[in-house]
Amino acid sequence: MTKIEMKTPLVEMDGDEMTRIIWQLIKERLICPYVDLKTEYFDLGLANRDATDDAITIESAEATRRLGVAVKCATITPNAARVEEYGLKQMWKSPNGTIRAMLDGTVFRAPILVKGIDPVVSCWKEPITIARHAYGDVYKNAEMIVPGAGKVELVYTAADGTETRELVHEFANAGVVQGMHNLDASIESFARSCFNYALDTKQDVWFSTKDTISKKYDHRFKDIFAEVFEADYAKAFEEAGIEYFYTLIDDAVARVVKARGGFIWACKNYDGDVMSDMVSSAFGSLAMMTSVLVSPTGVYEYEAAHGTVQRHYYKHLAGEVTSTNSVATIFAWTGALRKRGELDELPDLVCFADRLEKATLSTIEAGEMTGDLARITTLENPCTLSTEEFIDAVASRL
Ligand code: NAP
Ligand code: MG
């Protein structure tokens, strides 16, 4: 067949360990036979990040700003053990953190539903997408142990030197105290990312905080969301037949557990951290989860939600057969190809992405899957495939 042509290249961010092997297999067996794949390639493997003093990560984020759509392989975030293992010049920062800071985005994570892997919550029929604000609050806090009696105050010193004070607590005895912050600009970009993503995927947005208790801090989030919505999105939402809905976090939790799914749940940083683990485990598996970073300017970076699957990689290096699930990485590629196809008006590319996803899901539904899913499926007599066999099974269906 004639290969599907692309117009604009994707930004391709290669990565580490088991996911780097899967990356190559996906390109070679699932994409390149059908698509004349155009990418700007950045090797974010740890060895190359070290060799380039991490400049490669920054270049890949700059290319993403320029080209608009990226696909990223899982990468190692070095710790002390990795510094030794790879003989690194220094403990480089998390590439995801660097890229996120440069693109100023919100991360959307949604489970991939498939027959035979049932959610623990039986009424969930459609995915629940968590949109997590990735800046500030408790993740950029200042905290203190209060050793004994004394007064704790918040002090704001304006540029002209004037001070505004707010009493936190008059301590009679020892205790603890914490200060945290957020920025109007960051909250606004969080809101825009959520509303843009909702329009893109035709889903309602739920946003929840605890503004009844946090009358200034959480209330600021609620107000900014409402202002941005009214000013720039209300009309588009109405036309798209979707809704924006604000409620208290405890009410949201109660509603989510009774819901059907099919909506975006926008969460403050801490709430998103906790709730995304709850939602993903209740839906089945981290390897069955899509993840995309969306910037307020409409730049997209697709990735898998899991890591480099180090334990499997060492088995692979020792010559053992592995059974690593490639679904999230396949969906990172299809997400990016589909988005590129939409932006460049290439219906064949969009259609290819749909078919590759369909082939992947129908392989699992036919009982052919990797070990992680075989252990939890409700299908009878599932066939456990190796990493490579699973990709080949998808290829033959495709
Ligand atoms: P991980 O790679 O997510 O794997 C943790 C465990 O989860 C695996 O050992 C495996 O369990 C299971 N698992 C995860 N993905 C799987 C898949 N696709 N198929 C089958 N099983 C899967 O987390 P980690 O081992 O803690 O981290 C390894 C490296 O990844 C670290 O260096 C970390 O920095 C990096 N990381 C990167 C990203 C990213 O780039 N987005 C995210 C998280 C972590 P069993 O061993 O029981 O089979
Ligand atoms: Mg967490």
Side-chain angles (χ1 to χ4, degrees), residues 64-250:
T64 305
R65 276 196 198 134
R66 175 164 47 83
L67 295 174
V69 185
V71 55
K72 180 180 171 294
C73 181
T75 46
I76 293 168
T77 297
N79 53 17
R82 299 297 200 164
V83 171
E84 193 171 327
E85 181 184 355
Y86 285 79
L88 301 179
K89 293 180 208 159
Q90 67 177 76
M91 203 185 289
W92 304 108
K93 281 196 241 162
S94 150
N96 290 324
T98 303
I99 294 165
R100 213 170 284 165
M102 287 180 69
L103 300 181
D104 181 23
T106 300
V107 179
F108 295 86
R109 291 198 161 161
I112 299 163
L113 300 197
V114 56
K115 283 192 211 88
I117 311 293
D118 294 344
V120 177
V121 181
S122 57
C123 60
W124 289 357
K125 302 294 178 204
E126 304 278 338
I128 294 167
T129 302
I130 299 278
R132 174 183 171 188
H133 186 210
Y135 180 82
D137 300 351
V138 72
Y139 301 85
K140 281 216 179 276
N141 68 356
E143 42 185 29
M144 263 188 223
I145 300 281
V146 177
K151 183 166 72 171
V152 175
E153 288 177 295
L154 291 177
V155 182
Y156 164 65
T157 313
D160 68 3
T162 46
E163 284 184 357
T164 314
R165 287 167 180 267
E166 178 77 31
L167 179 70
V168 175
H169 193 65
E170 196 65 72
F171 285 83
N173 287 300
V176 283
V177 67
Q178 159 171 274
M180 58 188 195
H181 79 279
N182 220 298
L183 306 170
D184 282 6
S186 178
I187 300 167
E188 185 181 326
S189 79
F190 171 40
R192 288 188 189 281
S193 298
C194 291
F195 296 142
N196 288 338
Y197 193 78
L199 286 170
D200 244 28
T201 58
K202 301 272 179 294
Q203 298 184 86
D204 293 347
V205 175
W206 299 15
F207 180 44
S208 54
T209 72
K210 193 71 181 174
D211 68 290
T212 44
I213 300 301
S214 174
K215 289 184 165 53
K216 292 197 174 117
Y217 197 105
D218 278 17
H219 212 281
R220 189 86 195 119
F221 280 77
K222 179 183 176 182
D223 285 347
I224 290 175
F225 264 68
E227 282 159 25
V228 168
F229 181 74
E230 282 313 318
D232 294 332
Y233 293 92
K235 199 160 162 277
F237 267 52
E238 203 183 328
E239 281 165 14
I242 57 174
E243 274 182 20
Y244 168 58
F245 161 68
Y246 175 85
T247 189
L248 287 170
I249 180 84
D250 38 358

Side-chain angles (χ1 to χ4, degrees), residues 8 17 32 86 195-196 223 231 276 309 331 345 375:
T8 319
E17 301 194 312
C32 291
Y86 285 79
F195 296 142
N196 288 338
D223 285 347
S276 65
V309 212
F331 274 63
E345 295 175 9
R375 280 194 292 277

